[in-house]
Amino acid sequence: RQGIGEPSVYHAVVVIFLEFFAWGLLTTPMLTVLHQTFPQHTFLMNGLIHGVKGLLSFLSAPLIGALSDVWGRKSFLLLTVFFTCAPIPLMKISPWWYFAVISMSGVFAVTFSVIFAYVADITQEHERSTAYGLVSATFAASLVTSPAIGAYLSQAYGDTLVVVLASGVALLDIGFILLAVPESLPEEMRPVSWGAPISWEQADPFASLRKVGQDSTVLLICITVFLSYLPEAGQYSSFFLYLRQVIGFSSETVAAFIGVVGILSILAQTVVLGILMRSIGNKNTILLGLGFQILQLAWYGFGSQPWMMWAAGAVAAMSSITFPAISAMVSRNADPDQQGVVQGMITGIRGLCNGLGPALYGFVFYLFHVELNEMAEVETLGKASKPNMANPTDESSIIPGPPFLFGACSVLLSLLVALFIPEHNLVLRSGGHKKHSTGAQAHPHSPPAGGSDGKEPLLEDSSV
């Protein structure tokens, strides 16, 4: 085998950590470059860029997964990491090209999908949830630490150094894959010929979504996921920009906010989630998580002071228990041979939301005229005032964050739908679901071979 040692989960962990650490470093410079490049309609353009990227990732993930079943994981890890990190140096070279390449890089921005397949190749079924949890925790840890480091370096030495450092980390990741990562997919698991045909079902991003209506319980769960994750995906794409430019957070404060909320979210998903599942049950935990999400989004929508954002951030950490609880409900109640099918549907819907959510948020900001035209003056004066709230008669002074209120309404509908989900006897009539024999599927949008993945990871490639 090429690489160092036998393939292991630790190879996957290092790849994920380096990629997201590189992007986390750029949190502060990217907010500045975004406004400088699009001084008019900043939120709208931000939403469109992330929306195009998310939709392209959703459409391409199944095809890349199917191809990795034929050609192996290592080559596609190299491909996805290279193209995902390719825009980084362009931030200082040409901002317009930087944002153009970011949106187009969505075609290959599916590193998580290939990593999940890599882990599935080298772990037994009973080990897989633990291995996925380690990868997801590494992803969270990289985003907890890197924005703060990037903000400090940007403040002390300038954005250029941060971009150079992030580019160096990305090159280190590429070099690690080339030299240290061994191939995980055994030769005997691949088709005889590299020209083996790829079926349309394997490459169809909507394949899992078409099975949604086959069971009423699964339909309710999928509607719940769609209505609750759509505003969350939009929030991921615009919230740090919103904190920096509208609420008046400094770069260092944004980085601290990311770190604190990230740590609280990890605690919520590990310690608090276990306690709640044992004490109030699975379904009630989901309802509680949705309730926290409604409160968080409403607080973001009406909040105009920094302390309100910090308080809402603590509530946001508690709302992170929703998706692990939904995944656990499916895992516990679905038939063993159907878990991969249902999890594939849920993850497919989340992938679709990663494209629709940012575009929707950007459009709502645009409709309510939340703009950043006076941001440069505020930055120069060093004030923490909100530029778009200067006029007390302005509608934005009454509702600072309209998209967050829209999101709260969406999650409220999700909560009402979730009330009707039965807590037991979840069964999916999958019909003639085709089980592929080409090894573990490398994408979360189609069910894994024979449902072998059991439980999909809870964190996704949504931050890049």
Side-chain angles (χ1 to χ4, degrees):
R1 293 177 183 269
Q2 293 181 338
I4 299 176
E6 294 294 315
S8 69
V9 176
Y10 299 107
H11 289 102
V13 162
V14 173
V15 171
I16 284 295
F17 181 85
L18 290 175
E19 178 179 331
F20 287 95
F21 189 86
W23 277 104
L25 287 172
L26 295 176
T27 301
T28 295
M30 184 159 56
L31 298 181
T32 303
V33 171
L34 181 66
H35 177 66
Q36 291 174 347
T37 309
F38 305 108
Q40 301 290 331
H41 312 313
T42 308
F43 284 104
L44 177 63
M45 294 306 300
N46 178 64
L48 291 177
I49 290 166
H50 283 87
V52 170
K53 180 179 179 180
L55 286 174
L56 289 177
S57 297
F58 169 73
L59 294 173
S60 66
L63 177 59
I64 290 179
L67 290 173
S68 77
D69 282 342
V70 177
W71 294 343
R73 315 298 185 202
K74 179 171 179 172
S75 57
F76 280 91
L77 274 180
L78 188 63
L79 188 71
T80 55
V81 170
F82 176 81
F83 280 101
T84 301
C85 295
I88 291 177
L90 295 174
M91 178 180 286
K92 281 299 179 183
I93 298 172
S94 172
W96 279 95
W97 275 106
Y98 168 73
F99 289 111
V101 174
I102 275 187
S103 58
M104 293 299 103
S105 71
V107 174
F108 297 100
V110 290
T111 307
F112 257 85
S113 303
V114 186
I115 284 291
F116 296 156
Y118 188 96
V119 171
D121 292 340
I122 59 179
T123 55
Q124 300 296 321
E125 187 172 346
H126 66 278
E127 304 171 326
R128 207 156 289 158
S129 293
T130 302
Y132 282 156
L134 181 60
V135 174
S136 297
T138 302
F139 161 74
S142 68
L143 293 181
V144 165
T145 56
S146 54
I149 296 173
Y152 170 76
L153 293 176
S154 176
Q155 181 74 17
Y157 303 104
D159 289 350
T160 302
L161 176 66
V162 180
V163 174
V164 171
L165 179 60
S167 301
V169 173
L171 287 175
L172 179 63
D173 198 10
I174 293 170
F176 179 80
I177 296 171
L178 275 172
L179 302 176
V181 176
E183 176 58 57
S184 66
L185 190 64
E187 289 289 343
E188 58 269 18
M189 292 293 292
R190 306 186 204 180
V192 177
S193 168
W194 270 35
I198 301 297
S199 70
W200 169 243
E201 183 179 352
Q202 289 173 277
D204 182 8
F206 298 97
S208 61
L209 301 184
R210 281 196 288 269
K211 301 181 179 71
V212 166
Q214 296 178 3
D215 184 273
S216 59
T217 302
V218 174
L219 179 62
L220 290 173
I221 289 178
C222 289
I223 293 174
T224 300
V225 170
F226 180 81
L227 291 175
S228 61
Y229 193 70
L230 185 69
E232 186 171 339
Q235 178 182 324
Y236 285 153
S237 70
S238 62
F239 187 60
F240 301 140
L241 175 67
Y242 180 79
L243 286 178
R244 173 85 184 277
Q245 317 296 17
V246 177
I247 301 300
F249 274 27
S250 67
S251 302
E252 295 79 7
T253 309
V254 170
F257 185 92
I258 296 172
V260 170
V261 175
I263 292 171
L264 291 176
S265 297
I266 293 172
L267 290 175
Q269 292 183 53
T270 52
V271 179
V272 178
L273 178 62
I275 295 173
L276 289 175
M277 295 280 276
R278 290 190 297 271
S279 58
I280 65 175
N282 204 322
K283 179 178 176 179
N284 288 332
T285 301
I286 294 173
L287 297 177
L288 182 63
L290 292 172
F292 277 120
Q293 190 178 359
I294 293 171
L295 178 59
Q296 160 221 336
L297 288 167
W299 214 336
Y300 283 153
F302 284 113
S304 58
Q305 301 298 322
W307 71 266
M308 297 179 181
M309 299 297 105
W310 282 100
V315 177
M318 281 300 301
S319 72
S320 67
I321 65 175
T322 303
F323 289 105
I326 288 177
S327 184
M329 170 178 278
V330 172
S331 180
R332 290 181 179 183
N333 297 315
D335 290 342
D337 62 342
Q338 300 299 328
Q339 292 197 23
V341 181
V342 185
Q343 296 283 4
M345 294 178 195
I346 292 173
T347 317
I349 287 174
R350 294 182 69 180
L352 188 61
C353 289
N354 281 332
L356 298 178
L360 181 62
Y361 263 50
F363 183 64
V364 175
F365 272 124
Y366 172 73
L367 286 181
F368 280 81
H369 308 292
V370 178
E371 300 295 347
L372 311 175
N373 298 332
E374 299 177 36
M375 173 241 173
E377 178 184 349
V378 172
E379 289 284 326
T380 302
L381 297 175
K383 296 179 179 178
S385 60
K386 280 66 68 180
N388 67 319
M389 301 177 196
N391 183 358
T393 62
D394 187 358
E395 61 186 355
S396 63
S397 65
I398 303 172
I399 307 177
F404 302 112
L405 289 184
F406 173 85
C409 295
S410 177
V411 180
L412 178 60
L413 293 177
S414 175
L415 178 65
L416 296 176
V417 173
L419 289 172
F420 295 95
I421 299 175
E423 192 159 2
H424 301 289
N425 302 321
L426 174 60
V427 178
L428 175 68
R429 297 181 294 275
S430 61
H433 169 60
K434 181 178 179 181
K435 298 181 180 179
H436 307 300
S437 59
T438 56
Q441 292 298 304
H443 50 86
H445 305 299
S446 295
S452 63
D453 271 5
K455 186 175 180 181
E456 288 288 344
L458 303 173
L459 292 175
E460 289 198 348
D461 187 358
S462 61
S463 303
V464 177

